[in-house]
Every structure is written in structure tokens, then in C-alpha cells.
Amino acid sequence: MVTRHRRATACVGAGIVLVGAGAWALAATSMTAVQDAEARALGPGHTPEMPGEDELALLAHDARLAAIVLMAAGLALTLSAVPRRAAASAWLGGVLAMVIANAALGPVVDGGSVLLAAGALVLVVAAGGAGAHRVSARRRGDEGAGARGEWSLVGAGVVAAGTLPVLVAQGTGSPRYRPWVPGDLATANWVTALGLAAVVAVAAVLVARTTSDVVLGVVLPAAALVVLLGRSGSSWQVRDAAWVMGVVLVLAYAPFVVAAATPSTEARTAARRRVVAGVVLAALGGLFAAVPQLLALPIVVGGMLGLVVTMPAGAYVNYDGFPVIGGGVLIAVVLFVPLLVLRDGTTRVEVPV
């Protein structure tokens, strides 16, 4: 049964990596179309309400970074049952391969086939992960078997939960961008949103301690996705409303807080801690929805840090626009701290994945 769970988790993680690769390919192959749209926006009749110089290009680079974050989370799920050191080396090798491929492979696939671009990226990531694992194995020797703890799963889920609401800050569904964003780039955005919500749900279900935790792990990410996405004509778009960020953030993060707040013993204490966690989360959701500016600082700071990954691929900040996706990772780092505090430190839990 344990082996079956491990295989299922690895398969789901691999599927999420493929979804992320598809989202990256949609954004990377549309760079020429993005530049053409930007040239039209900057042509006769340009107004300050239209995209400025290199603004759409930066948006496309940010969408590629969001897909890389999704792939990194999916890779963590795939490796969640592998011994710790082996998983860490393979994950780091795979992520490094993503960063290199984003810079080196991006210009090659521009204007080409989405399927071929996605396939090439997956091959590069697999080679990077396998190569890093082989090098690590030679240095450290055989580590033997043993499942990883639940923290790799929580980490993947929290990174996805932190990144999901930041998609709103990209503004692809805003009046400023919507008429100019190519269809493939817009599609990449909501495909990434679906993938991130799936990571949250899978991770939340795997670290759940009770049946109600499992239900919340499925229902709350689905609710976050409903709040995040809306119909725009014949396609889906990330909603253009600042209040959405706080609500989506709390909905996606809540399953991990509830699971961490549930002690492994006494049912009455568990119920009380669940209620307190729910009240605090509801209050935070209302606060962030009413004052979304509270999320601005981590989004701006983290977005600028994200340039470390996107600058080698050609992204840079001009007088219009700024990157935001890196802010999701920074938010996730902050979100991880309460889980460390809440988790029952006296009981070590190994997840049978």
C-alpha cells in the first residue's frame, strides 16, 4: 500500500512537471508575438493606459518564471518519497537545469512548436536531475532506503500557495494588458494557476491527519481557483481585482495551517485549535482583501529577486512594469514559519507516499 502511494505521488508530481513545462512553452514560444503586440501598442495613438516599452516582454518573462516555480514544486512532489540526500541533489539539479534552459532554450523555441518546446524542457530537467543525483551518489555513496518526512510536501504546497495569489498582480486580465496579451501567453497564465492549485491540493491531502483535513485539502484549493479565475469572452483569465489576492492566499494556505494546528492526541484540544486557526485565517483573509497593499512589499521585493532567474533570459525592468512572481516565493518563506511553530515537535510524522 505504501509503495502504491509513493508511485501515485511520483506520477502526480511528474504530471505537474509536464503541465509546468507546457505553460513555460506557451509563454516562451510566444515571445515574438509579445514583441509584435508591444510594437502595436507603442504605435500611433499610444496612451499611458497602454503597455509601455518592454512591459509586455517583462510580463512574458514573469509568466515563464511562474511556470518554473510550478515545475519545481511538481519535482518536489515527484521526489518526496526518495531518500533525503538523493532527493535534494536531484531537485537542485533539476531546478538549475530549468534556470539554464529558460535562458538558453527560450530564444531557440520562440515561434516554434509548443509541444517540442515543452518536451525539450522536460528532457533538460530530467537530465539535470539525474546528473546531479549521480554526482552526489558518487561522493556520498549508497544512502539506503527510507522515506522523506512530510516537510518536502509542505514546502511544495506552501510555495504553490504563496505563488497562486501573486498571479493576480501580473495583471494579464486588466484593461491595460488584456487587449494586447497574445492568446498563448494568457493561456500559460491560467494553466499555471491550475497546476499550482493542484500542487496545493495534493500536498495538503498527503500531509492531512484526519478525514476532515483531506476534505479541506481538496475543497479549499478548489475554492481558491474559483475565486482566482473568471471567464473573459471565450477563455479564462486571472481576475483583475486586488481583493482577490488575499482571499486566494488564505484559502490556499489554510489546509496546511489546519493540519499543523491539529495535535496528534486529544480530540477536544484538536477541535479547539482548529477553531482558533480558522478564526485567525478568516481575519487575515478579510484584512488582506480590505487592504491588499499589505502584500505589496513582499511582492515587489521578491519580484526583484526573481530577476536573478529571468535576467539571464533577457528580462529587465524599464520605466513601465515590474516583475512579481518572485514575490510568491518570498511570501511562501514567511508562510512556512508559522507551520514550524504550530507543528507538534514531539511527534515525527513520516508520510506514506
Side-chain angles (χ1 to χ4, degrees), residues 69 91 151 154-163 165-166 249 253 298-299 301-302 305 325-341:
V69 172
W91 185 84
W151 288 111
V154 175
V158 172
V159 167
T163 305
V166 178
L249 177 62
Y253 180 51
I299 289 176
V301 173
L305 293 176
I325 289 301
V329 179
L330 185 58
I331 289 173
V333 173
V334 176
L335 295 180
F336 203 77
V337 175
L339 301 183
L340 291 173
V341 176

Side-chain angles (χ1 to χ4, degrees), residues 30 32-35 37 40 56 177-187:
S30 64
T32 296
V34 168
Q35 292 167 356
R40 292 194 304 272
L56 288 180
Y177 289 141
R178 189 169 54 243
W180 308 101
V181 173
D184 281 355
L185 180 55
T187 301

Side-chain angles (χ1 to χ4, degrees), residues 85-265:
R85 290 184 179 178
S89 60
W91 185 84
L92 288 172
V95 171
L96 180 60
M98 294 176 203
V99 174
I100 295 173
N102 186 52
L105 194 61
V108 177
V109 303
D110 186 13
S113 167
V114 173
L115 288 178
L116 289 179
L121 180 60
V122 170
L123 289 176
V124 170
V125 171
H133 169 61
R134 180 168 295 185
V135 170
S136 176
R138 286 178 179 176
R139 290 182 177 179
R140 296 172 178 168
D142 186 15
E143 301 177 53
R148 301 190 71 192
E150 63 182 7
W151 288 111
S152 60
L153 299 172
V154 175
V158 172
V159 167
T163 305
L164 193 62
V166 178
L167 294 176
V168 177
Q170 283 185 315
T172 53
S174 67
R176 180 181 182 86
Y177 289 141
R178 189 169 54 243
W180 308 101
V181 173
D184 281 355
L185 180 55
T187 301
N189 211 29
W190 65 259
V191 168
T192 299
L194 290 175
L196 291 171
V199 171
V200 173
V202 171
V205 167
L206 290 174
V207 302
R209 292 182 170 183
T210 65
T211 302
S212 61
D213 288 351
V214 173
V215 174
L216 290 175
V218 175
V219 171
L220 293 181
L225 204 58
V226 170
V227 173
L228 181 69
L229 298 179
R231 293 287 293 183
S232 177
S234 59
S235 62
W236 291 92
Q237 290 277 2
V238 173
R239 295 184 193 275
D240 177 39
W243 65 267
V244 171
M245 286 192 293
V247 176
V248 170
L249 177 62
V250 170
L251 287 172
Y253 180 51
F256 303 104
V257 175
V258 172
T262 305
S264 55
T265 55

